[in-house]
Amino acid sequence: MASNVRNPSAGTEESRKRTIFPGFGRFKIALSAVLTIKIMLELSVIFGYPNALVDEIRIAEDAALMMIMSMEERGQIDPTDISPLLTALKEINRHGTARQVKGWFDEYVSIDGEKRATVLKYQLSPELAGKMVSFIRELKQTCHTLYDKIQPIPYIKEKMYSVDKVFIEVGLEYCDSPGSWKTLSSYHGIFSVAMATSRIQVIEGDPGYGKSTLALQLVYDWCNEVSGSPFRKPDILIFLNLRQLGGMTSILDAIEQFSLPQDRSVTREDVEQLINNININILVILDAYDEYPDQHIKDTFVAKILEGKNMGHVDVLLTTRSSCIPPACGSRTGRIKLTGFDEGAREQYVRKAVTGDDEEVQTILEQLNTNPILRDICQAPLFSVMYAHVAHEKEEFRNVRSVTGFFEYMIDCFHSHAQNKVSGGKREQLQMFANNHRKLDKLAFDSLTCANQQLSWDKKVLINKFGEDFYGLYTDIGILVEEEVRGKRSRGAKRAQCIQCWTEVHFYHKLFCEWFAACHLAERVTSLQALVRNFCKRVNLYDLQFVYRFACGINPAAAKKIIKRVQKEPDGDKFAVLCALEQEENTEDVLCTVRDLVSREVYIRENDTRLLQRTTVQLLELASQKEIPITEVRLYESFSSADSDGRSLVLHSGLCLPWLSSLQDLRILTEDGKEVTVDEWTGILNYAKQCQPLEVLCMFRCLLPWLDNNPTNLGIDTVVWDPFYDGKGYILQSGRWQGRDDDQVLTREAYASVVTKFRKRFSKSDWQK
């Protein structure tokens, strides 16, 4: 009969379930003993069985077996769930029978609901499914301790936040093709947009731009299964801080030591089986590659994961500074970059974590807008957060004029906070430690310049080096942070490996390490001339930019030697200006360098780092403010758009070039095939009009829009449009384009031919596609 016809695939599924749940057969035998004819007929009504099937069950020789088969076929009992049967038994007031049946199920199948779902979804044995449930629970337990103790200001320990209470969306872009970046509207797009193109993504950003905070927000979303967040989707999320993983040869060691609690129930073998199961969706977050001690070693487990040689089925997010992209990342690795806080994000943070008072919020934001140096510094979320919290209480903080001044005042606040709690001899001792920290300076300097960066130390080692009082002060004010660590250490005469716990210490943020390293460099460079030379050889100029900048701001005498050396590096002349700007009192030397740099062509290229672009913009702004003539600015594939009112030109990096009152020549070379809109062209012309006394404006390798009436009162001597960048093109005369070779006016018909030729020439360009 029809009711006895079974789907062949269903038999295969049942066979698999019997293999995974061998106790389910025993459960069905026990169940058959309590299924009387009366109970089965009552259940048939609840389940809505057709009359023909009910009649079959009533007259069947083994009615209970037929009833069990019918319930199994219809999903009313299953090795993973018998809740429909239990509910039906309760509806017919068979509560005692329901309890008895549930007891047999728990005894014979012996697996909870979460585990049952895991068994079937991932085709695991019940035992390993139980381990997976435990593994996830223990991962979340460890992650909770990471995201639930965020301190915006280290010394204000009573202000501890969960990451979701302070996290604000920062600007995000992803690389959709070589040299082309597109905006992500939310961090959710990291998963739903960027990771759809590549399972390995590098999240890059300048120091203090919130890379680790973003990583912890992703962890929070997973742990708490945040509604609407795609980061709730991975089955397993593993978060590892690479600063802690020096010398480790296996991700299993890292997970065992840093991702699981001490009283974990899963074994190393369990973890290995789970992370190698291709049916499980796994996301690994590797945080702070720029602090990874083994980044210069080729065959680390981290490098193998990035190269796809290990764990090729997992998704990977790696955070790092823009200047420290792993060499193991190939062309198939995706790129995401953080572009910092804009005004909206700053306001949102102040309201969320500092004060909800409208007047106080506006006061803090207005102070930022009236101090251009401070406004630029606070593009970095770390600095913006510190400013928002401290400026809320200390007005003096609002007048800083350099990054060095900002950090110097910040450190002073840390120490003042500690000194205000004591008096007499103890206060004098703390003041002495605040002024004399040479041992800490040298430790920081050596850690950044050694072959493998060491950014954490054993607590006992530091106490022996500094003394308990000094160590106690710097941990109390939050500059140094303690964390408990478990791992294998050699012990005893035979150097046997055993699991131990100890306390490691690191700086609150790598920027604090760079500050104290800069103090050492600033003091020693005046007496040891080879020091800065060796330092420049060993340290990437842009990776540790703040060491150079801080050192120049701390000691003007040291600054001269550092700037002289920095100028010998590629693009070092522009970076030298950034260093020189840290000397708040030594303005004449700074202006002399600025005059020299803007007396020749100044390039802003698309492939320049964001730091270099920002440095160049600052250089040009300073020249404009001081009325120093700027000979020529070239935007080389870096132009993105223009404000229609001409206030600024927007770069692909998100930075803006404000109008420059001393600019003489502006040349914009766009990417291949770009078609400039009417609004963009109007914005460019308005920008040029404000940049008096601008003499030359050139547009290269782009298609300008047709205007029946181009403006005639720009006050610019020469406006050139060269769509094919071949030295020909057109010049604007009396509101009309004329050929540079033949002086013929460009008609609408001739313009249409230019459009056709342009689109054909650049048809394969990313822009035209």
Side-chain angles (χ1 to χ4, degrees), residues 151-153 166-172 204-214 338-342 345-346 349-350 354 368 374-389 406 508-509 511 546 610 614:
Q151 281 182 264
I153 302 298
V166 296
F167 176 76
I168 298 295
E169 292 264 17
V170 296
L172 280 171
E204 61 183 88
D206 288 342
Y209 267 56
K211 301 177 289 295
S212 294
T213 303
L214 172 61
L338 281 69
T339 57
F341 267 1
D342 59 16
R346 278 197 289 270
Y349 180 85
V350 173
V354 182
L368 278 175
L374 196 55
R375 185 176 66 244
D376 182 69
I377 291 170
C378 288
Q379 284 187 349
L382 175 70
F383 292 149
S384 187
V385 166
M386 287 184 170
Y387 173 80
H389 281 275
F406 183 100
Y508 169 75
H509 191 280
L511 278 169
F546 284 103
R610 184 178 172 85
R614 192 166 67 244

Side-chain angles (χ1 to χ4, degrees), residues 184 187-192 194-196 198-204 211 214-219 231 234 237-240 242 282-289 302 305-306 314-320 326 329 333-336:
L184 289 174
Y187 73 95
H188 289 174
I190 295 173
F191 193 92
S192 56
M195 297 200 78
S198 174
R199 67 172 191 83
I200 300 177
Q201 294 284 338
V202 173
I203 301 178
E204 61 183 88
K211 301 177 289 295
L214 172 61
L216 288 177
Q217 180 64 36
L218 309 185
V219 172
F231 287 96
L237 186 149
I238 298 166
F239 176 88
L240 294 170
L242 292 177
I282 300 172
L283 173 62
V284 176
I285 297 179
L286 302 172
D287 187 37
Y289 179 82
V302 172
I305 289 174
L306 296 177
V314 306
D315 293 325
V316 180
L317 285 176
L318 178 140
T319 71
T320 185
C329 292
T333 302
R335 299 275 291 277
I336 300 165

Side-chain angles (χ1 to χ4, degrees), residues 67 99 167 169 241 280 300 307 309 350 403 567 586 598 608 640 648 663 746:
M67 182 68 186
R99 285 193 296 272
F167 176 76
E169 292 264 17
N241 189 317
I280 300 175
T300 62
E307 291 168 355
K309 295 178 180 178
V350 173
V403 179
Q567 286 177 318
N586 199 7
V598 300
D608 287 344
S640 174
S648 64
L663 178 60
L746 182 69

Side-chain angles (χ1 to χ4, degrees), residues 6-77:
R6 300 176 63 83
N7 188 330
S9 63
T12 304
E13 178 66 12
E14 284 185 16
S15 174
R16 186 175 70 81
K17 288 180 181 178
R18 282 196 296 272
T19 302
I20 297 175
F21 300 97
F24 191 57
R26 294 176 62 196
F27 163 74
K28 289 189 287 186
I29 292 171
L31 176 62
S32 66
V34 297
L35 291 179
T36 65
I37 288 294
K38 184 176 182 180
I39 289 176
M40 287 188 286
L41 293 178
E42 289 175 346
L43 288 175
S44 297
V45 173
I46 297 295
F47 292 146
Y49 287 176
N51 291 333
L53 177 57
V54 174
D55 290 340
E56 283 188 61
I57 293 172
R58 180 185 291 111
I59 65 175
E61 184 176 341
D62 196 341
L65 177 60
M66 188 172 188
M67 182 68 186
I68 289 171
M69 289 174 60
S70 298
M71 288 191 292
E72 195 169 5
E73 285 176 351
R74 289 162 174 78
Q76 286 136 1
I77 62 171

Side-chain angles (χ1 to χ4, degrees), residues 391-461:
H392 180 51
E393 301 172 358
K394 297 182 180 292
E395 293 190 6
E396 314 93 272
F397 197 25
R398 302 165 185 171
N399 301 317
V400 297
R401 292 187 291 164
S402 67
V403 179
T404 303
F406 183 100
F407 227 78
E408 202 164 31
Y409 190 82
M410 195 74 221
I411 298 287
D412 185 58
C413 287
F414 288 18
H415 287 292
S416 295
H417 185 80
Q419 292 168 25
N420 289 338
K421 295 180 179 180
V422 297
S423 59
K426 186 64 175 176
R427 187 184 183 95
E428 292 176 3
Q429 183 190 46
L430 296 186
Q431 184 62 51
M432 179 183 69
F433 290 155
N435 296 333
N436 185 354
H437 38 77
R438 288 187 176 87
K439 290 183 179 179
L440 182 59
D441 299 345
K442 189 173 189 309
L443 176 82
F445 184 85
D446 291 343
S447 72
L448 293 175
T449 56
C450 62
N452 296 331
Q453 286 187 9
Q454 180 187 357
L455 296 173
S456 61
W457 304 268
D458 189 299
K459 175 181 177 178
K460 294 179 180 178
V461 171

Side-chain angles (χ1 to χ4, degrees), residues 543-559:
D543 183 26
L544 296 178
Q545 49 147 321
F546 284 103
V547 177
Y548 295 92
R549 295 172 67 179
F550 287 152
C552 290
I554 291 168
N555 185 350

Side-chain angles (χ1 to χ4, degrees), residues 458-566:
D458 189 299
K459 175 181 177 178
K460 294 179 180 178
V461 171
L462 293 192
I463 290 176
N464 289 336
K465 182 183 288 289
F466 302 143
E468 288 191 7
D469 290 338
F470 183 95
Y471 175 84
L473 169 65
Y474 279 82
T475 51
D476 285 346
I477 64 178
I479 289 177
L480 295 177
V481 179
E482 296 181 345
E483 63 184 353
E484 296 301 314
V485 175
R486 294 185 326 279
K488 294 178 180 179
R489 276 187 158 184
S490 298
R491 186 174 69 180
K494 295 183 179 180
R495 311 300 288 172
Q497 294 284 313
C498 58
I499 299 294
Q500 296 184 49
C501 295
W502 69 95
T503 302
E504 284 199 349
V505 183
H506 60 88
F507 283 96
Y508 169 75
H509 191 280
K510 192 178 178 183
L511 278 169
F512 284 84
C513 184
E514 292 173 32
W515 168 264
F516 288 99
C519 290
H520 180 78
L521 179 63
E523 181 181 22
R524 300 297 301 279
V525 72
T526 52
S527 58
L528 297 176
Q529 299 206 11
L531 183 65
V532 69
R533 183 172 63 252
N534 293 333
F535 182 70
C536 288
K537 286 180 179 179
R538 287 183 287 177
V539 175
N540 182 295
L541 184 65
Y542 292 102
D543 183 26
L544 296 178
Q545 49 147 321
F546 284 103
V547 177
Y548 295 92
R549 295 172 67 179
F550 287 152
C552 290
I554 291 168
N555 185 350
K560 292 182 180 180
K561 291 183 172 63
I562 292 171
I563 290 172
K564 185 177 180 180
R565 174 61 196 177
V566 162

Side-chain angles (χ1 to χ4, degrees), residues 652-671:
H652 285 303
S653 63
L655 296 173
C656 292
L657 180 65
W659 64 272
L660 306 168
S661 61
S662 61
L663 178 60
Q664 298 174 343
D665 190 330
L666 174 62
R667 303 184 180 223
I668 300 175
L669 176 71
T670 71
E671 61 270 37

